[in-house]
Amino acid sequence: MGAVCCSEDPTSKKVEMAQDAPALEQPGFAITFRKDASPDSEKRVVKFVKGPLGMTFNQKRMPIVVKDTAEGGAARGLGVQQGMVIEKIGDEDVTEVTYEHAYTVLRSNVDKLPKD
């Protein structure tokens, strides 16, 4: 059962911003995704400014891996793809915490977002 929320060179450690810098001043929160489960994989920072996030992932499993994104949803529109791994929620690294803690952090951020 899934939970709902929320470079060509695979050795690159470049961090890519999904939105322009002025958008980062808007209310919301960022999630840092890794392209895959490797800690050295490419990272992408995505800023969510309204909910729902429009992505699913397997419950009670770490790391949190994106299972799917909803067509027309915020996650897909921001470039989140199936198989991406959540590394940070806001400034908090969630790679070494329990699923319950990571989900609580994610949920508390999502709950503060304006809804569609």
Side-chain angles (χ1 to χ4, degrees):
M1 178 175 228
V4 179
C5 265
C6 1
S7 136
E8 297 299 311
D9 179 1
T11 62
S12 173
K13 291 186 180 183
K14 178 178 99 178
V15 174
E16 180 181 326
M17 299 303 288
Q19 296 183 356
D20 294 334
L24 294 177
E25 296 171 10
Q26 297 174 344
F29 72 101
I31 297 178
T32 303
F33 292 91
R34 293 192 311 237
K35 189 140 185 125
D36 57 43
S38 168
D40 296 325
S41 70
E42 178 183 338
K43 294 173 179 32
R44 180 179 179 95
V45 177
V46 177
K47 174 84 181 224
F48 290 92
V49 295
K50 62 183 172 180
L53 303 186
M55 63 182 176
T56 60
F57 45 86
N58 290 329
Q59 292 182 3
K60 308 217 184 270
R61 290 191 195 159
M62 291 300 286
I64 297 176
V65 179
V66 176
K67 185 173 168 182
D68 197 12
T69 58
E71 189 168 334
R76 187 175 291 181
L78 293 168
V80 177
Q81 299 173 356
Q82 180 180 8
M84 292 177 112
V85 176
I86 296 177
E87 180 176 271
K88 288 185 178 180
I89 302 168
D91 292 328
E92 185 167 350
D93 185 327
V94 295
T95 59
E96 301 287 326
V97 301
T98 65
Y99 172 85
E100 290 76 14
H101 179 78
Y103 186 76
T104 298
V105 172
L106 180 61
R107 190 80 248 160
S108 68
N109 280 281
V110 171
D111 288 346
K112 296 173 190 171
L113 295 176
K115 308 297 183 249
D116 267 344

